[in-house]
Amino acid sequence: MNVLNGGAHADNGLDVQEFMVVPRLMNYKESLRAGAEIFQSLKKILKEKKLSTAVGDEGGFAPKLESNEQALGLLEQAIKAASYVPGVDVFIALDVAATEFYEAGHYHWENRKITSKEMTEIYKQWVEKYPI
C-alpha cells in the first residue's frame, strides 16, 4: 500500500518515488485493515507535526520532509502507533525509481551528487535500520 509519495509523483523534494507498507497478517481482510489503520495513524502523525496531509499523484501523503530517511522513520512510527510490530506484522517497501534522479553518471540525491557505491551504501544502511 502506497502511503507516502515523492519523486515524480509529488512536488515535495523527496527523491524516493513511493514509500509503501506491506502488512503480513493472517489474511487479506486483516492486512487491508492494517494498511488503512497505518494510513490513518500516519495522517495523525503528520498533522501533529504540522506537515501537509495532501496526497500525491498515486494517493500517498506528500509532505515536505527534511530527508528521504525521515519518511522511513515516520512510516515506522505510524506502524507502531497503529499497534503493529514493524518487521513482524508489517514491512516497508520502496519504489525508489532511481532512473528518475540518475544523470550523467551520478545520482542526484538530497541536493548533492553521489556515486552508485554511495547510493548502494544508503540502501544497505536503510535495510539494516528499517524493516524493508
Side-chain angles (χ1 to χ4, degrees), residues 22-26 30-31 34 38 76 79-80 83-92 130-132:
V22 183
R24 296 284 307 218
L25 300 173
M26 296 298 289
E30 290 178 22
S31 293
I38 293 164
E76 192 169 55
I79 292 167
K80 291 175 182 176
S83 299
Y84 296 100
V85 179
V88 176
D89 301 319
V90 181
F91 292 84
I92 295 172
Y130 301 97
I132 298 174

Side-chain angles (χ1 to χ4, degrees), residues 19-20 22 72 75-76 86-87 90-94 96 122-132:
F19 296 85
M20 300 169 274
V22 183
L72 293 170
L75 278 185
E76 192 169 55
V90 181
F91 292 84
I92 295 172
L94 304 170
V96 178
I122 289 168
Y123 295 152
K124 181 181 174 195
Q125 290 172 9
W126 285 1
V127 169
E128 291 172 354
K129 187 173 180 180
Y130 301 97
I132 298 174

Side-chain angles (χ1 to χ4, degrees), residues 3 5 7 18-21 27 31 33 41-44 61 65 68 75 77 83 87 100 107 109 118 125:
V3 294
N5 289 158
E18 295 175 354
F19 296 85
M20 300 169 274
V21 293
N27 58 47
S31 293
R33 184 188 72 235
S41 291
L42 180 58
K43 183 176 184 177
K44 182 179 177 186
F61 297 114
L65 301 177
N68 293 283
L75 278 185
Q77 186 179 349
S83 299
E100 295 289 329
Y107 291 96
W109 182 259
E118 291 169 310
Q125 290 172 9

